[in-house]
Amino acid sequence: MTVSLVKGQKGDLTKNNPNLTNVIIGMGWGNRNSSLDVDFSAFLLAPNSKVTKDEDLIFYGNPTNPGNSISVISNRQTYSGITDQAQVSVSLRNIPSQYDRISFALTIYDGEKRGQDFSQVDDTYIRIIDPTSGSEIIRFNIGKSFSVETAIVVGELYRYNGEWKFNAIGSGYSGGLAALCSSYGIEVKEQPSNNSTDISSESGTPAPTPVPPTPKPPVNLSKIELKKRGDVINLEKGSGSLGEILVNLNWNQKKQKGFFGNKRVDLDLGCLFELKDGSKSVIQALGNRFGSLNRSPYISLDGDDRTGTVVGGENLRINGHHISEIKRVLVFAFIYEGVTNWSEADGVVTITQKGGPDIVVRMDEHNNRKGMCAIAMIRNVKDQTFSIERLVEYFSGHQELDRAYGWGMRWTTGSK
C-alpha cells in the first residue's frame, strides 16, 4: 500500500519494512515546452548538510558513487505500470556511515539563459519503490506551486535513530544545478570555450570523515549563503503571497579602543528604494526616514540602535503583499560614528522569508577607508518574487553609492 505524503511530511521506510535493504527512487514530470531539458541529481550529505567530495554528487556526469551504494539506472524499469523518467538505485545498508542523508533534486538545464522555469513543468512526482516486490512504498506529488524557479529540492532520505525515513520537501530555487551545488559545498565553474561544466569541491580535496552526531531531524536547507559578488538567488514563492521579508543586520558588539577610551561602533542599516511608479528615496535612521510597512513605500526600518548593544541588531521589513509596486531595493550599511573598521565589525545580513531558507550575506570583504557598504540588491521578478544579489562594495558616502547604482537623487547633509 502506497503512503502519499504532502509537502513537509515525513514517512518511515525501514521501521515499517525491516527487510528493506534496497530501494528505487523514481521521478517523473511532464513538459509543456518540448525544448525544456529537466535533469535529475542526488547529493550524498554529511551531518553538516555538505558533500565531503566531488563524487558525492550523482548526476548524468557521475552516475554512481565510489562504493556503488547509489547509482543512476540507465535501463529504467516499469513498476506498478509506470516507467519513471529518472530512476536511481539506493542500497540503504551500504551507504557509508559519514553520510546521514541523500537529497534528490530536479534542475532545468540553462533555465535562466533560455527563459525556462518550473512553471512550464506539470505533474512532478517522486516515489520510493521496493524492487523485490515491485510495489510503491511512498509517493510525493509535488503539484504546481512554482513560477520562476529553475531547481527543486524534491525530497530527502535520511537516517534517524538507526532507521531510514523520507522527507517530502518540494522547495524551489533559482540558479539551476550550479546554485544547488553551491549550497551543498560544491563549486561549479563554467567553461565558456566548450560549454562544459567543471564541478569541484571548495577545498579541492576530500574532507575528513566527520563523526556523526546524535541523530536529529533533517535540515531543509535552512540557510543559503551568497558567498561571491554577483551571486543571485530568488526568494521562494509559495502558493500565496511572499508575506513579510525581514532584512536583519547584526555585527560584532565589542568595544573599539581609541584615544578617548573604548567606544562601540554605531553601524546603521538602511536602503535606497525605487517603486514601479518611478518614485525613489532612502530609508534610514539618519534624518528619521523610517518608511512605512503598510503604505507606500511598503518598506520600514524598525529603529536605530544608537548603542550597538541590541543583540538582535537592526531590521528592515519589506511588505511582500505589495511586490507589484516595488521595483528594486538596495540594502546598505554605514558607520555613523566610531572607527571605520569593517573588519572588526564583522557584519552579516540575514534575509528571512516565509516558508523558505534564510539568505545570508557576510560582509567579509573589507575596505576600512570607506564608511558605507552596499550589501545586497533586491529586485522584482515578474511581480512573483524578489531576487537577492550579493554586492558587498564600499563607498565614501550616499552620493557615491547613488552614482554607482544609478538612483539619481539629490543629497544634503543630515543628522540623527
Side-chain angles (χ1 to χ4, degrees), residues 18 23 42 129 149 170 174 177 184 203 222 253 259 263 296 329 334 336 341-342 347 353 357 368 381 390 395 401 407:
V23 294
I129 302 157
E149 297 81 358
S174 294
L177 180 60
Y184 288 129
S203 62
S222 60
Q253 298 177 6
F259 184 77
K263 186 174 183 179
S296 182
V329 180
F334 65 98
Y336 179 69
N341 195 335
W342 297 99
Q353 56 180 313
N368 291 330
V381 180
R390 175 190 167 96
F395 300 92
L401 174 74
W407 241 263

Side-chain angles (χ1 to χ4, degrees), residues 27 104-106 126 140 142 152-156 166-170:
M27 300 185 69
F104 301 98
L106 292 177
I126 185 171
F140 171 36
I142 299 174
I152 304 173
V153 176
V154 183
E156 288 182 338
F166 178 76
N167 183 18
I169 295 177

Side-chain angles (χ1 to χ4, degrees), residues 22-27 29 40-42 58-65 68-79 82-91 104 127-132:
N22 298 286
V23 294
I24 303 295
I25 308 298
M27 300 185 69
W29 56 88
F40 165 85
S41 58
I58 309 301
F59 70 124
Y60 55 86
N62 180 47
T64 186
N65 68 322
N68 296 315
S69 56
I70 176 170
S71 302
V72 175
I73 300 173
S74 56
N75 184 21
R76 292 172 286 120
Q77 303 296 309
T78 299
Y79 296 101
I82 300 172
T83 304
D84 308 295
Q85 289 177 275
Q87 290 178 343
V88 61
S89 173
V90 180
S91 177
F104 301 98
R127 61 177 183 154
I128 303 175
I129 302 157
D130 180 354
T132 302

Side-chain angles (χ1 to χ4, degrees), residues 292-313:
S292 175
L293 189 63
N294 296 313
R295 61 179 186 273
S296 182
Y298 307 108
I299 307 166
S300 68
L301 180 66
D302 279 0
D304 177 29
D305 177 16
R306 298 295 300 274
T307 65
T309 61
V310 175
V311 175

Side-chain angles (χ1 to χ4, degrees), residues 23-49:
V23 294
I24 303 295
I25 308 298
M27 300 185 69
W29 56 88
N31 295 354
R32 284 186 275 118
N33 183 343
S34 59
S35 67
L36 190 145
D37 188 1
V38 178
D39 292 323
F40 165 85
S41 58
F43 297 81
L44 280 159
L45 303 175
N48 63 353
S49 293

Side-chain angles (χ1 to χ4, degrees), residues 65-335:
N65 68 322
N68 296 315
S69 56
I70 176 170
S71 302
V72 175
I73 300 173
S74 56
N75 184 21
R76 292 172 286 120
Q77 303 296 309
T78 299
Y79 296 101
S80 301
I82 300 172
T83 304
D84 308 295
Q85 289 177 275
Q87 290 178 343
V88 61
S89 173
V90 180
S91 177
L92 297 173
R93 63 182 175 183
N94 291 326
I95 300 295
S97 60
Q98 67 260 39
Y99 304 108
D100 72 350
R101 69 190 65 247
I102 307 168
S103 181
F104 301 98
L106 292 177
T107 55
I108 297 177
Y109 177 72
D110 270 354
E112 277 79 9
K113 294 179 182 178
R114 300 177 180 181
Q116 299 171 340
D117 52 54
F118 273 102
S119 68
Q120 301 167 317
V121 180
D122 297 327
D123 304 322
T124 306
Y125 70 86
I126 185 171
R127 61 177 183 154
I128 303 175
I129 302 157
D130 180 354
T132 302
S133 65
S135 60
E136 186 178 282
I137 305 171
I138 289 177
R139 170 180 279 264
F140 171 36
N141 293 319
I142 299 174
K144 301 178 182 180
S145 58
F146 303 107
S147 54
V148 298
E149 297 81 358
T150 56
I152 304 173
V153 176
V154 183
E156 288 182 338
L157 288 176
Y158 67 98
R159 299 187 214 251
Y160 187 72
N161 289 336
E163 303 287 354
W164 283 96
K165 303 181 72 172
F166 178 76
N167 183 18
I169 295 177
S171 292
Y173 305 91
S174 294
L177 180 60
L180 287 182
C181 285
S182 177
S183 69
Y184 288 129
I186 299 175
E187 182 180 358
V188 179
K189 298 179 181 178
E190 296 291 340
Q191 303 293 332
S193 59
N194 57 10
N195 294 323
S196 63
T197 301
D198 174 29
I199 300 178
S200 60
S201 63
E202 290 181 342
S203 62
T205 58
T209 300
V211 178
T214 302
K216 61 183 182 224
V219 177
N220 181 11
L221 287 179
S222 60
K223 288 187 179 181
I224 295 179
E225 184 173 347
L226 304 183
K227 296 182 178 181
K228 298 178 182 178
R229 177 173 169 78
D231 281 355
V232 181
I233 191 168
N234 286 4
L235 296 181
E236 184 172 336
K237 174 65 169 63
S239 57
S241 68
L242 282 176
E244 182 179 297
I245 297 128
L246 177 69
V247 181
N248 172 262
L249 169 67
N250 218 328
W251 63 93
N252 192 332
Q253 298 177 6
K254 294 188 300 184
K255 290 184 177 180
Q256 308 294 317
K257 293 183 179 179
F259 184 77
F260 296 103
N262 295 339
K263 186 174 183 179
R264 299 182 188 275
V265 173
D266 183 10
L267 201 62
D268 283 0
L269 176 66
C271 73
L272 299 178
F273 67 84
E274 181 179 3
L275 302 183
K276 289 285 193 70
D277 63 7
S279 58
K280 305 173 184 178
S281 191
V282 63
I283 292 175
Q284 60 183 11
L286 192 65
N288 295 319
R289 305 179 70 93
F290 290 97
S292 175
L293 189 63
N294 296 313
R295 61 179 186 273
S296 182
Y298 307 108
I299 307 166
S300 68
L301 180 66
D302 279 0
D304 177 29
D305 177 16
R306 298 295 300 274
T307 65
T309 61
V310 175
V311 175
E314 296 193 355
N315 298 307
L316 275 169
R317 299 179 188 273
I318 302 173
N319 190 337
H321 296 295
H322 293 272
I323 184 173
S324 62
E325 300 181 54
I326 301 171
K327 182 177 181 180
R328 59 175 179 159
V329 180
L330 173 57
V331 179
F332 63 78
F334 65 98
I335 298 178

